[in-house]
Each structure stands twice: as C-alpha cells, then as structure tokens.
C-alpha cells in the first residue's frame, strides 16, 4: 500500500472531497416533498455508488418509503463493529427569496459551503465516508468492522427505517442481524461553538401535530355572521394560545409529571460551559430572550420541554382588507420532550386538551407523529473516552460535553432494538442555519471531521482490544 500518511492523504484529497460533497449537495433530495421523490432516490444511488467505489460491500434496501443505503467492510464473524448512521434527505429550502445563492448550487463564502443539506446532514455524513476511504487507501484495511446505514426519511418520520426494523418486507437476514454492532456513531448535530468541539450526550425528543379546525360550511361575511357563529381562526388562536402561560410553562395537565430537575452535578456541568446569554440573544436577533421561568437559557434549550407552532393557515392572506369569517383554520405544532416523558402519553394529553378547549360549533381533526423519546447518556463510558481522544487528534482540542435540543429519531431504535449506545459527534455550528435559509457548513470542520473519523476507528480498536480478534 502507499506509504502516504492518512493525514497527508486527507490534505491531498481535500478538493476532490469538496467536489464530491458538492455533487451530492446539488441533488435536491427534499424528502418531505413528494415532488422530489426521484431526486431523493438519486441521492441514495449516489451514496450507493460511492460506497462501492471506496471498496465497501453495499446495497440499496427498498422499503415502503425511501431506500436505505447500507454498506459494510467485508464481514468477519464476531469482529467489533461500529455502525455509522446519516441521512441523505434534506428539509425544503423555502423561503427561497432569503437565500443569498440558490440552495442547490453549493457556493463557498468565507470558508463555508452554503447549500441545503450542507450541515444537515450531507456534509457531516460524508466525513465518515471519506474517513473510511482515506483509511482504506492508506492502510489497506480497517482496524475494526464498519457498517453504514444512511436513510432518506429522517426529516419526515422515518417510516421506511421503522418498517425495516420490523422486517417488512421480509428479508433473509433480519434488520437486527444486519445492523449488529457494538456502538453507533452519528454526526448530525453541532460543536459547542467555533473551535469548541463537543460530544453530545443527550437529545430532546418530540411529538409533532397537525390540526384542522372547521366551522361554517363556507367563508362568511363577518358583518352578517360575526358574533353568532364560531370562527375557526379565533378558536385555533385561543386553543393554541392557552397551551403556554405567561411564565413559559406548558398548561396541559400531566405534561410535567415525568420531567426531572437536573442534579446539582448536571447544573454545575452546564454552568462550566461559559455561555453568554447576550451573545446568544444577539445571534438569534431577538431583542430579549424568553422561556420557562426559573431556568437558564441552556437548560431551556437542552433539558426542559418546549412547545412551538411551526405553521398557521386561515382566512385571507393577500393584500388589503377582507372581512371574512373563514370556514377553516389549521396549524402544525410540536412539543420537544425531555428524558422520562412518554411521547404516547403526551400525545393523549394533547388530544384531550384540544377536545376540552374546542369551542361549540367547531370540529377538529388531528394527526400526530409517532413521537421520539429523549435520552441522556453517561459521559464516562469507554466509548466516550475513545471519541474524546479522536476529537483531540482531529480538531486539536479536547471536546466539551453538551446536550442538544434537537431530535434524532433513530437513536431510540439503536437503543431499544440493537441495544447499543450512540456517540453523537457533531461537526456543525449552532448558526449553520439548518432548516433555515442559507444553510452552511465549515469546510475546515469538514476536513477535521474526516480526520477525526479516521482517528475514531483507531481509538475504538483500542477500546475493543482488537489484537484479541
Ligand atoms: N440534525 C437534526 C437534529 C439536530 C439538530 C440534533 C440540532 C441536534 C442539534 C435532524 O436532522 C432533525 O432536524 N431532526 C428533526 C427530527 C424530527 C423531524 C423528528 C428535529 O429535531 O426537528
Ligand atoms: Mn439532520
């Protein structure tokens, strides 16, 4: 094999890695929008071809939804195995007018690549693909077995992945057997700040709702009818407006029953993180911060539940006044959940709340997602230590331990179905604009992520004491 070191290989190939990232970013794999189903599949094929090209065994696994891309190094029975997960679907790019350059034409500015999916998750997931490629190209063989599982429905409920775990459609090898691993790794979150790499040891969960309220059989003149017929828009505002009180506390009975306060140790850990409320406020551009009374901003973001409306539709939206009493109003909203809250129980409590608060003359229809449970992991496991050493080698700094407010649904499948822990090693930044216009990813961190991925394989091999195999 070539005598080039891995670090040199990564540096010598950095522009090719970038070109390949750009190829994937040009594919508009908007998984949530049925109009892009062919493009989404194209992203899966791109990854499938890439895995083949770097010398892994790979297959496209068909599901009821988007295909899963599976790849692995040649299997060795009983070999210690890391399972790397990522997702090739992206969020819709709208509002399009807010983008400085088009979302599916990756563009470099100030050392960042701007494109939908740059950080979430194409750029981050490719660090592991190129990490494995670099390792194989320079050393010929990986120190432990590697499996990749890349899905295309992370942003839209993951129906295909869930079906795969239930072995639908039936396959010779069950999902559990196929994915058997000792530890999972996901890079789909952020560092603590610029030059402050982190290991994320907890995520919030969530439940997502869509509700449609209907009243009269058509839009009515509010002069003739206002005051005598329930208005679905009014009803929606009052129902949703009653969910959180002025102190930022969710009012639904039983909502906080399972929520635990942070231990003293955990609070101390958070306080050590040198967080500036003012800097955070300025970065989001709000003139004041607001959240549940009695908790710091970091606690509110990572360790407390929250409620947010994502979209509201009703009535007349165009220019000028129109005194209409609309026949329909709808909303999309969700709750972020914390450890011990049961998504199913929360769902039932929310539906009950809607029933109670729905005024006379209004009917409602509600749909909700299956829900994702939150989790938090101990920070002192041997795997965490291996990840910390790899980050130290790849980023030149020791990571800090953080939690995060987002959700990655697959983690609970790994915990419950595969009985393995997940290392969340995010290379992004909080201001990467994921799900927003002008999403970006630092090309420096792209390269450091690739290096760290290589080091992680070596560090995990030490944990597994690979000489024994
Ligand atoms: N990459 C994010 C999750 C994330 C973001 C974790 C920031 C930590 C920090 C992921 O792609 C995502 O957006 N997940 C959704 C899940 C939902 C659709 C079930 C989320 O958190 O809203
Ligand atoms: Mn993501």
């Amino acid at each position: 094999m070539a005598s080039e070191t891995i670090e040199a290989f990564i540096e010598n190939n950095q522009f090719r890695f970038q070109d390949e990232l750009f190829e994937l970013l040009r594919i508009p794999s908007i998984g949530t929008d049925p109009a892009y189903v062919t493009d989404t599949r194209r992203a899966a094929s791109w990854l499938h071809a890439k895995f083949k090209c770097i010398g892994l065994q790979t297959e496209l696994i068909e599901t009821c939804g988007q295909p899963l891309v599976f790849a692995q190094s040649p299997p060795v029975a009983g070999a210690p195995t890391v399972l790397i997960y990522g997702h090739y679907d992206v969020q819709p790019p709208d509002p399009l007018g807010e983008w400085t350059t088009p979302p599916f034409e990756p563009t470099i500015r100030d050392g960042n690549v701007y494109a939908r999916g740059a950080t979430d998750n194409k750029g981050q997931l490719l660090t592991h693909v190129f990490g494995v490629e670099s390792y194989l190209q320079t050393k010929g063989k990986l120190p432990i077995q590697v499996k990749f599982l890349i899905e295309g429905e992370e942003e839209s409920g993951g129906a295909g992945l869930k079906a795969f775990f239930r072995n639908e459609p039936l396959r010779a090898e069950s999902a559990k057997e196929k994915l058997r691993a000792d530890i999972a790794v996901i890079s789909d979150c952020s560092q603590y700040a610029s030059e402050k790499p982190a290991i994320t040891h907890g995520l919030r969960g969530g439940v997502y709702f869509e509700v449609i309220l209907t009243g009269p059989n058509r839009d009515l003149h509010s002069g003739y009818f206002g005051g005598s017929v329930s208005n679905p828009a009014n009803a929606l505002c009052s129902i949703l407006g009653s969910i959180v009180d002025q102190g930022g506390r969710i009012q639904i009975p039983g909502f906080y029953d399972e929520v635990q306060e942070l231990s003293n140790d955990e609070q101390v850990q958070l306080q050590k993180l040198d967080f500036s409320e003012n800097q955070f406020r300025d970065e989001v551009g709000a003139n004041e911060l607001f959240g549940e009374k009695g908790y710091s901003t970091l606690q509110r973001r990572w360790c407390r539940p929250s409620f947010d409306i994502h979209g509201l539709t009703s009535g007349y939206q165009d220019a000028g006044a129109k005194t209409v009493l609309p026949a329909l109003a709808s909303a999309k909203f969700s709750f972020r959940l914390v450890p011990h809250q049961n998504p199913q129980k929360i769902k039932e409590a929310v539906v009950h709340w809607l029933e109670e608060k729905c005024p006379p003359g209004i009917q409602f229809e509600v749909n909700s997602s299956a829900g994702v449970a939150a989790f938090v992991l101990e920070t002192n496991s041997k795997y965490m230590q291996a990840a910390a050493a790899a980050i130290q080698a790849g980023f030149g700094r020791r990571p800090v331990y953080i939690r995060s407010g987002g959700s990655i649904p697959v983690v609970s499948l790994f915990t419950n179905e595969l009985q393995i822990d997940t290392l969340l090693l995010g290379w992004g930044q909080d201001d990467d604009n994921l799900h927003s216009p002008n999403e970006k990813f630092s090309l420096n961190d792209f390269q450091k992520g690739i290096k760290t991925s290589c080091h992680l394989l070596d560090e995990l091999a030490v944990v597994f004491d690979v000489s024994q195999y």
Side-chain angles (χ1 to χ4, degrees), residues 69-367:
V69 190
F70 177 77
Q72 64 179 342
S73 52
V76 178
T81 304
V82 58
L83 172 63
I84 301 168
Y85 164 93
H87 64 93
Y88 61 82
D89 58 321
V90 301
Q91 283 274 313
D94 65 286
L96 273 176
E98 301 280 312
W99 285 77
T100 307
T101 48
F104 297 106
E105 284 174 28
T107 310
I108 301 177
R109 287 194 297 280
D110 304 329
N112 296 301
V113 53
Y114 284 82
R116 174 55 88 230
T119 191
D120 187 12
N121 172 241
K122 291 170 175 174
Q124 296 204 58
L125 97 82
L126 282 185
T127 61
H128 295 289
V129 179
F130 294 138
V132 166
E133 173 181 348
S134 304
Y135 207 109
L136 283 170
Q137 284 291 315
T138 48
K139 300 209 174 170
K141 189 170 171 292
L142 302 175
I144 55 173
Q145 207 192 332
V146 173
K147 295 180 179 176
F148 281 96
L149 175 71
I150 318 290
E151 74 160 311
E153 293 173 289
E154 194 270 352
E155 305 284 7
S156 57
L161 185 64
K162 283 185 202 145
F164 175 60
F165 269 92
R166 290 194 306 267
N167 296 322
E168 295 166 13
L170 195 60
R171 300 163 50 88
E173 191 183 24
S174 73
K176 265 191 195 176
E177 285 162 342
K178 195 169 195 70
L179 301 178
R180 192 205 64 75
D182 300 277
I183 183 77
V185 171
I186 304 180
S187 294
D188 192 20
C189 46
S190 305
Q191 304 179 52
Y192 180 56
S194 168
E195 309 291 324
K196 284 193 185 157
I199 294 178
T200 302
H201 71 104
L203 289 175
R204 291 196 291 186
V207 266
Y208 192 94
F209 295 85
E210 292 194 28
V211 59
I212 300 177
L213 266 54
T214 48
N217 62 5
R218 62 192 187 285
D219 285 5
L220 301 173
H221 188 292
S222 71
Y224 278 121
F225 299 99
S228 64
V229 179
S230 280
N231 177 330
N234 291 23
L236 186 64
C237 291
S238 94
I239 295 172
L240 297 181
S242 67
I243 290 181
V244 181
D245 75 1
Q246 295 209 326
R249 198 154 164 102
I250 292 160
Q251 298 299 297
I252 297 170
F255 187 87
Y256 290 95
D257 283 0
E258 274 77 33
V259 176
Q260 293 183 1
E261 297 295 326
L262 288 188
S263 68
N264 279 344
D265 272 3
E266 287 170 314
Q267 291 193 31
V268 170
Q269 289 304 320
L270 282 191
Q271 274 152 14
K272 277 198 195 144
L273 278 173
D274 91 77
F275 178 77
S276 158
E277 307 252 342
N278 289 347
Q279 199 182 326
F280 177 75
R281 179 201 59 206
D282 293 346
E283 202 278 314
V284 295
N287 58 13
E288 211 178 313
L289 296 175
F290 176 73
E292 189 185 359
K293 265 209 185 97
Y295 298 92
S296 68
T297 295
L298 276 190
Q299 283 205 52
R300 290 169 180 168
R301 292 173 64 202
W302 297 349
C303 317
R304 300 294 302 171
S306 58
F307 163 73
D308 277 288
I309 300 170
H310 311 300
L312 287 169
T313 311
S314 187
Y316 182 67
Q317 312 279 341
D318 290 340
K322 185 172 190 239
T323 49
V324 65
L325 191 167
L328 180 147
S330 69
K332 298 175 193 270
F333 58 90
S334 76
F335 295 83
R336 294 284 166 177
L337 306 179
V338 297
H340 309 293
Q341 282 185 295
N342 176 340
Q344 184 57 34
K345 192 182 152 196
I346 298 296
K347 254 164 64 170
E348 286 161 17
V350 172
V351 172
H352 190 67
W353 180 265
L354 294 175
E355 279 161 358
E356 290 239 301
K357 299 285 165 183
C358 193
I362 300 285
Q363 294 83 47
F364 75 87
E365 192 189 307
V366 60
N367 287 307

